[in-house]
Amino acid sequence: MTTKQIAVLPGDGIGSEVTSVAETILKAACAAYDVDIQTKNFLFGGCSYDEHGTPVTDDTLNSCLQSDAVLLGAVGGPKWDDLPSDHRPEAGLLKLRKTLGTYTNLRPIKIYSALMGASSVKPEILEGTDILIVRELTGGIYFGQPRHTKEVDGDTVATDAMVYSKSEIERVARKAFEAARKRNGRLCSVDKSNILDTSRLWRQTVSDLAGNYPDVELSHMLVDNCAMQLIRNPGQFDVILTGNMFGDILSDEASMLTGSIGMLPSASIGDKTGLYEPVHGSAPDIAGENKANPLAAIASAAMLCRYSLDLSDAADNIEAAIDDVLATGYRSGDIYASTQGEILIGTKEMGEKVFGELKKKAITR
Ligand code: NAD
């Protein structure tokens, strides 16, 4: 039996409800492969501000850094909205990502067949969609210098700089090639190389790396075409690699293919500890009511197994258990369409259903 240390940051609002369910599933999935998951919880976000006067303490950051992975719920809520920006819960998130050096964001867009009807896109277009978007997270136009607003010749002029170095592109591209290797072996790099110098460097750098990954089929696509293709024929994509701003926009567009924000997991990885969290926020409107959909947090735990613990089989089991529960008709409020065969259940009950399916898989492995 090997032991892995996981730092759990439940955060605010529904964060604690969904992470406690995800934690149980993570432990059960890993135990089936003789991996003992030891978790330690830390205050993070608004609740940390209430207790310590800061959204994240240095102790918490150090503990996260020393863990094998971090599982996060969500932060924020109206109670902390008027705090100065460096005390707000979101400032804790940025500090955590910076400390962990998570320069790659992974967002899977998987359509569960039982939820086809929940999307605004037609089922025949969605059929077979299973995409992983790999977004560069710490560079590009969101961080480039110079950045300012100035008066120039009687006019107001704002400037943001899009800057990428070859080494920044290489490190995220390697993550994307490696991810494609673990999936269906196809990588589509998305840029705007007909216009932007940064994109031309991006395309050249990714192409140069391709020789190291002969088992991955590399293609390139312009970002405007990609935005169109995601709605026209999403099934054509396996892994999409792109820069910070293009990834921000494309991943939100693609997330709408799935129908609900309560279904979307994410991973942020670099060369240190990986951070795993659902895409949704703290949902103050339903917090404490056992109404939150825990499946995004559970699917984030599956990503943790795959990318930080190298336990792909445990990850597959969790994802298959989610599939089975949905196929049986169980739904949380956000994905409940009150059609025949659907059974409305709460956060804890959804966790128990996934746990039950997971146990069956662990026994039969
Ligand atoms: P939100 O994602 O919290 O909620 C948007 C809507 O989706 C709400 O109606 C909510 O009830 C619903 N929803 C979200 N997750 C759900 C789930 N798992 N199950 C069922 N329904 C779910 O976004 P918001 O309302 O814009 O933000 C609320 C707070 O969360 C804000 O303080 C915001 O800053 C914060 N936030 C945090 C993160 C994060 O921690 N990474 C991300 C986004 C928003």
Side-chain angles (χ1 to χ4, degrees), residues 206-223:
V206 175
S207 299
D208 289 347
L209 276 181
N212 300 333
Y213 302 90
D215 48 336
V216 176
E217 184 194 317
L218 173 67
S219 61
H220 300 275
M221 191 179 278
L222 294 176
V223 63

Side-chain angles (χ1 to χ4, degrees), residues 125 221-237 253 257:
I125 303 269
M221 191 179 278
L222 294 176
V223 63
D224 35 358
N225 185 23
C226 183
M228 221 160 54
Q229 295 298 332
L230 276 171
I231 300 300
R232 192 182 150 266
N233 178 16
Q236 72 185 280
F237 296 108
E253 181 196 1
L257 297 170

Side-chain angles (χ1 to χ4, degrees), residues 76-149:
K79 185 178 174 193
W80 304 284
D81 276 352
D82 297 326
L83 288 175
S85 60
D86 55 336
H87 286 87
R88 285 179 60 124
E90 295 78 6
L93 259 183
L94 294 182
K95 210 166 169 186
L96 179 64
R97 287 177 186 154
K98 193 163 178 227
T99 303
L100 300 180
T102 52
Y103 54 80
T104 304
N105 183 246
L106 306 176
R107 235 203 236 192
I109 308 292
K110 179 175 153 72
I111 313 293
Y112 293 93
S113 45
L115 294 183
M116 283 290 195
S119 173
S120 46
V121 176
K122 289 184 216 140
E124 59 267 33
I125 303 269
L126 292 175
E127 195 71 53
T129 297
D130 185 355
I131 308 170
L132 178 70
I133 299 187
V134 179
R135 167 190 169 195
E136 201 287 327
L137 203 57
T138 54
I141 196 165
Y142 293 172
F143 293 89
Q145 292 294 337
R147 157 191 305 255
H148 48 64
T149 305

